[in-house]
Short mmCIF file of all heavy atoms in Angstrom, two decimals:
data_model
loop_
_atom_site.label_atom_id
_atom_site.label_comp_id
_atom_site.label_asym_id
_atom_site.label_seq_id
_atom_site.Cartn_x
_atom_site.Cartn_y
_atom_site.Cartn_z
N GLN A 8 -1.03 20.30 11.80
CA GLN A 8 -0.81 21.00 13.06
C GLN A 8 0.22 22.10 12.85
O GLN A 8 1.10 21.97 11.98
CB GLN A 8 -0.27 20.03 14.10
CG GLN A 8 -1.25 18.93 14.43
CD GLN A 8 -0.76 18.06 15.58
OE1 GLN A 8 0.43 17.87 15.75
NE2 GLN A 8 -1.70 17.57 16.36
N THR A 9 0.11 23.14 13.67
CA THR A 9 1.12 24.21 13.60
C THR A 9 1.65 24.49 15.00
O THR A 9 1.00 24.19 16.00
CB THR A 9 0.50 25.52 13.03
OG1 THR A 9 -0.68 25.81 13.77
CG2 THR A 9 0.17 25.39 11.56
N ASN A 10 2.84 25.10 15.06
CA ASN A 10 3.40 25.47 16.37
C ASN A 10 3.13 26.96 16.65
O ASN A 10 2.44 27.63 15.86
CB ASN A 10 4.88 25.10 16.46
CG ASN A 10 5.72 25.84 15.42
OD1 ASN A 10 5.24 26.78 14.78
ND2 ASN A 10 6.97 25.41 15.26
N ASP A 11 3.71 27.46 17.73
CA ASP A 11 3.46 28.85 18.13
C ASP A 11 3.90 29.85 17.06
O ASP A 11 3.38 30.94 16.96
CB ASP A 11 4.20 29.17 19.44
CG ASP A 11 3.64 28.34 20.57
OD1 ASP A 11 2.53 27.78 20.39
OD2 ASP A 11 4.32 28.23 21.61
N GLN A 12 4.89 29.45 16.28
CA GLN A 12 5.34 30.36 15.20
C GLN A 12 4.47 30.23 13.95
O GLN A 12 4.72 30.88 12.94
CB GLN A 12 6.79 30.04 14.83
CG GLN A 12 7.78 30.39 15.92
CD GLN A 12 9.02 29.50 15.77
OE1 GLN A 12 8.99 28.32 16.10
NE2 GLN A 12 10.08 30.08 15.27
N GLY A 13 3.50 29.34 14.04
CA GLY A 13 2.60 29.15 12.89
C GLY A 13 3.18 28.21 11.84
O GLY A 13 2.63 28.05 10.76
N HIS A 14 4.32 27.55 12.14
CA HIS A 14 4.92 26.63 11.17
C HIS A 14 4.20 25.28 11.19
O HIS A 14 3.71 24.86 12.24
CB HIS A 14 6.40 26.37 11.49
CG HIS A 14 7.24 27.61 11.47
ND1 HIS A 14 8.55 27.61 11.88
CD2 HIS A 14 6.98 28.87 11.08
CE1 HIS A 14 9.05 28.82 11.77
NE2 HIS A 14 8.11 29.61 11.28
N LEU A 15 4.24 24.60 10.06
CA LEU A 15 3.70 23.24 9.99
C LEU A 15 4.50 22.31 10.91
O LEU A 15 5.74 22.36 10.92
CB LEU A 15 3.79 22.73 8.54
CG LEU A 15 3.39 21.27 8.31
CD1 LEU A 15 1.90 21.07 8.53
CD2 LEU A 15 3.77 20.84 6.88
N MET A 16 3.78 21.50 11.67
CA MET A 16 4.42 20.51 12.55
C MET A 16 4.08 19.12 12.03
O MET A 16 2.94 18.84 11.68
CB MET A 16 3.86 20.63 13.96
CG MET A 16 4.12 21.95 14.62
SD MET A 16 5.79 21.99 15.26
CE MET A 16 5.54 21.16 16.81
N ASP A 21 8.93 20.73 13.93
CA ASP A 21 8.74 21.82 12.99
C ASP A 21 9.22 21.39 11.59
O ASP A 21 10.38 20.97 11.44
CB ASP A 21 9.56 23.03 13.50
CG ASP A 21 9.31 24.29 12.69
OD1 ASP A 21 9.15 24.17 11.45
OD2 ASP A 21 9.30 25.37 13.29
N ALA A 22 8.35 21.49 10.60
CA ALA A 22 8.70 21.04 9.25
C ALA A 22 9.90 21.79 8.68
O ALA A 22 10.68 21.25 7.90
CB ALA A 22 7.49 21.18 8.33
N LEU A 23 10.06 23.07 9.10
CA LEU A 23 11.21 23.84 8.60
C LEU A 23 12.51 23.26 9.15
O LEU A 23 13.54 23.21 8.47
CB LEU A 23 11.09 25.31 8.98
CG LEU A 23 9.98 26.08 8.28
CD1 LEU A 23 9.96 27.53 8.73
CD2 LEU A 23 10.15 26.01 6.77
N ALA A 343 5.24 25.54 4.30
CA ALA A 343 5.49 25.04 5.66
C ALA A 343 5.64 26.16 6.69
O ALA A 343 5.29 26.00 7.85
CB ALA A 343 6.76 24.17 5.66
N LYS A 344 6.11 27.33 6.24
CA LYS A 344 6.33 28.42 7.19
C LYS A 344 5.02 29.08 7.62
O LYS A 344 4.91 29.66 8.70
CB LYS A 344 7.23 29.46 6.52
CG LYS A 344 7.83 30.44 7.47
CD LYS A 344 8.86 31.28 6.78
CE LYS A 344 9.49 32.23 7.77
NZ LYS A 344 10.55 33.00 7.15
N ARG A 345 4.05 29.02 6.72
CA ARG A 345 2.77 29.68 7.04
C ARG A 345 1.62 28.93 6.36
O ARG A 345 1.00 29.43 5.42
CB ARG A 345 2.80 31.15 6.63
CG ARG A 345 3.37 31.34 5.26
CD ARG A 345 3.92 32.72 4.98
NE ARG A 345 4.78 32.58 3.81
CZ ARG A 345 4.45 32.92 2.56
NH1 ARG A 345 3.31 33.49 2.30
NH2 ARG A 345 5.29 32.73 1.57
N PRO A 346 1.37 27.72 6.85
CA PRO A 346 0.34 26.89 6.21
C PRO A 346 -1.05 27.51 6.24
O PRO A 346 -1.88 27.20 5.38
CB PRO A 346 0.37 25.58 7.02
CG PRO A 346 1.11 25.87 8.26
CD PRO A 346 2.01 27.02 7.98
#
Side-chain angles (χ1 to χ4, degrees):
Q8 297 186 328
T9 51
N10 62 12
D11 295 345
Q12 291 154 286
H14 300 172
L15 174 67
M16 297 280 276
D21 187 322
L23 292 180
K344 196 171 182 176
R345 46 202 162 102

